[in-house]
Amino acid sequence: MLSLSGILQKSIITSANFIFYRMEKLKQCWSGLLVLAVVVIGTGAVPITYLQSAVAKGAVCLDGSAPAYHFDKGFGSGVNNWIVHMEGGGWCTDVASCNARKNTMKGSSKFMNKDFGFSGILGGKQNTNPDFYNWNRIKVRYCDGSSFTGNVEAVNPANKLFFRGARVWRAVIDDLMAKGMKNAQNAILSGCSAGALAAILHCDTFRAILPPTARVKCVSDAGYFIHGKDISGGSYIQTYYSKVVALHGSAKTLPVSCTSKMKPELCFFPQNVVPSMRTPLFVINAAFDSWQIKNVLAPTAVDKRKEWKNCKLDLKKCTAAQLKTVQGFRDQMMRALSPVHSTPSRGLFLDSCHAHCQGGSAASWSGAKGPQVANSKISQAVGNWFYGRNAFQKIDCPSPICNPTCPAISTDE
């Protein structure tokens, strides 16, 4: 039998062990919270903003939900500078494909991720994005399937699809103007892929909305879709775009300077819009754009025997004859880009990579292993051009394997 002192000693030891155990648990808990905080802060995640006020104006996603964007506020010398970057994600050409989109983040804000990590041209770190890191940086989410050009008033009760991309774009811009963009000193309208096409199509309107004293320019990253011939000798992409324009009622929102001269679907091709643009434009593109090789040169609908199935995904798997055709696609790209490199105020970074969207990640935007043309990284070329430090219109070597700085296939969006 334990003495009174023994009982007390055992009780004290037990209590001490219990306290130590609780303290260890508490320390683990705080440690976990600290790690979580570091992870969240380290990713630069920017919360989503739902533009509920736009719904009453009919400016909605395909499913009727509110449009959305992510906004990281500027600071210091960048407090009155703005970059509005539009997300990419293809198009929908008929009711079936739009119906499929409306149940995803590409057609409904209900399915969009609540936070988005900013990097590349939207990055908030000076060492990776020295010219724009402290600007007001906005990523506009893409949920209309028309490169922000749709404007159909009627809604078919059978499918309940809203084709209102142009209204979405204007509602977002108006909201940003009210939040301070009306005082902009410098501004860029940019985008990736379908969003980059939108940056070209809306560029002059963006310039007209902003203060006349502001320096305003546009940047298209992988949005220079060419009116090219496919492997059958036809132009599948023209037929594709004609369906987009017809379904979304885009004709009345495309640049009048283009639609007054040709069919509206032809005004989805930048080569037909750029000649009459008044606002300076910088084009970032791959001569062997991976999306265009797959969908402009060798679309599945045309490649009936699937002879291009492997080649269009990996140019190393192309036959000699296919590589010659791919090289011919680059020639088409060069001709389509003539309105860009024939005008001194415009910029061009055309590398020979097999890639699509190269400005969205820090690695390809400014990284040590990112693509270079004329010994310049994309971030340097765009920054120097925007601020007028140096003009930049550079075209890479002609072969898809000639530039050792080209990374593996890159698709940011």
Side-chain angles (χ1 to χ4, degrees):
M1 181 178 293
L2 288 171
S3 65
L4 179 60
S5 61
I7 293 171
L8 286 172
Q9 185 178 16
K10 183 176 181 181
S11 176
I12 290 169
I13 292 172
T14 302
S15 298
N17 286 338
F18 177 77
I19 292 170
F20 178 79
Y21 171 80
R22 297 303 299 170
M23 288 179 70
E24 282 297 302
K25 284 294 183 182
L26 187 61
K27 187 166 71 173
Q28 289 173 17
C29 179
W30 277 108
S31 177
L33 288 173
L34 181 61
V35 170
L36 179 62
V38 169
V39 169
V40 171
I41 293 170
T43 59
V46 180
I48 198 167
T49 297
Y50 297 101
L51 193 51
Q52 297 293 348
S53 61
V55 177
K57 303 173 185 176
V60 293
C61 299
L62 283 169
D63 71 332
S65 59
Y69 61 81
H70 302 260
F71 181 9
D72 201 4
K73 290 186 178 181
F75 58 93
S77 61
V79 72
N80 287 320
N81 300 334
W82 297 71
I83 180 165
V84 181
H85 182 85
M86 291 169 287
E87 186 178 35
W91 306 269
C92 57
T93 59
D94 52 31
V95 169
S97 59
C98 290
N99 257 327
R101 282 178 79 99
K102 80 175 185 180
N103 294 315
T104 73
M105 66 179 181
K106 296 301 182 186
S108 171
S109 59
K110 296 175 184 177
F111 300 101
M112 292 175 183
N113 44 314
K114 302 297 186 290
D115 299 287
F116 208 105
F118 279 12
S119 61
I121 195 171
L122 290 177
K125 296 181 179 180
Q126 188 173 8
N127 63 328
T128 58
N129 192 24
D131 284 307
F132 312 119
Y133 75 99
N134 63 350
W135 286 31
N136 294 282
R137 288 160 289 114
I138 298 94
K139 187 180 187 77
V140 183
R141 302 304 298 269
Y142 181 42
C143 63
D144 64 275
S146 71
S147 283
F148 298 92
T149 64
N151 192 15
V152 177
E153 180 65 34
V155 178
N156 188 331
N159 55 54
K160 296 180 181 177
L161 287 168
F162 294 80
F163 303 113
R164 306 282 179 77
R167 296 191 198 183
V168 167
W169 184 83
R170 187 56 194 251
V172 169
I173 297 301
D174 287 346
D175 192 57
L176 295 175
M177 289 291 283
K179 289 180 176 177
M181 197 164 69
K182 63 183 178 182
N183 300 315
Q185 295 174 352
N186 294 290
I188 292 175
L189 183 67
S190 69
C192 158
S193 193
L197 174 59
I200 293 174
L201 298 177
H202 289 290
C203 185
D204 281 345
T205 302
F206 184 69
R207 161 67 278 184
I209 293 170
L210 267 69
T213 54
R215 172 166 36 199
V216 180
K217 300 184 180 184
C218 301
V219 176
S220 166
D221 179 13
Y224 209 93
F225 299 97
I226 68 169
H227 187 199
K229 290 185 178 180
D230 58 46
I231 54 175
S232 73
S235 182
Y236 173 83
I237 191 66
Q238 180 180 336
T239 302
Y240 182 88
Y241 278 158
S242 68
K243 293 177 181 177
V244 175
V245 170
L247 180 68
H248 293 266
S250 304
K252 53 184 173 286
T253 66
L254 291 167
V256 177
S257 57
C258 179
T259 56
S260 61
K261 300 173 184 175
M262 58 189 75
K263 295 177 181 178
E265 63 263 28
L266 296 179
C267 298
F268 246 60
F269 297 109
Q271 66 200 76
N272 297 326
V273 175
V274 172
S276 58
M277 280 179 62
R278 300 180 301 278
T279 310
L281 170 70
F282 194 105
V283 172
I284 305 163
N285 231 94
F288 303 98
D289 184 291
S290 57
W291 191 94
Q292 295 199 56
I293 294 292
K294 285 187 290 185
N295 297 284
V296 177
L297 178 63
T300 302
V302 172
D303 184 25
K304 303 289 187 182
R305 298 161 71 176
K306 298 184 178 179
E307 295 173 340
W308 282 76
K309 182 179 178 181
N310 295 323
C311 168
K312 65 184 180 181
L313 297 177
D314 183 353
L315 299 186
K316 294 176 183 177
K317 296 180 180 179
C318 297
T319 65
Q322 287 173 329
L323 278 176
K324 186 176 180 180
T325 303
V326 168
Q327 200 69 48
F329 177 82
R330 180 186 182 274
D331 295 339
Q332 292 187 68
M333 175 73 76
M334 292 291 292
R335 289 192 293 272
L337 281 166
S338 61
V340 176
H341 54 71
S342 64
T343 305
S345 65
R346 293 173 184 150
L348 176 62
F349 185 103
L350 185 72
D351 62 39
S352 289
C353 305
H354 185 215
H356 186 68
C357 286
Q358 300 176 87
S361 72
S364 55
W365 174 247
S366 61
K369 296 183 179 180
Q372 296 183 35
V373 175
N375 296 315
S376 179
K377 299 171 185 176
I378 300 172
S379 60
Q380 295 169 326
V382 174
N384 287 339
W385 165 82
F386 181 83
Y387 281 111
R389 296 188 292 252
N390 287 304
F392 194 95
Q393 289 192 6
K394 302 296 182 182
I395 297 170
D396 206 356
C397 48
S399 163
I401 58 171
C402 67
N403 187 339
T405 68
C406 286
I409 294 176
S410 168
T411 304
D412 291 340
E413 297 186 15

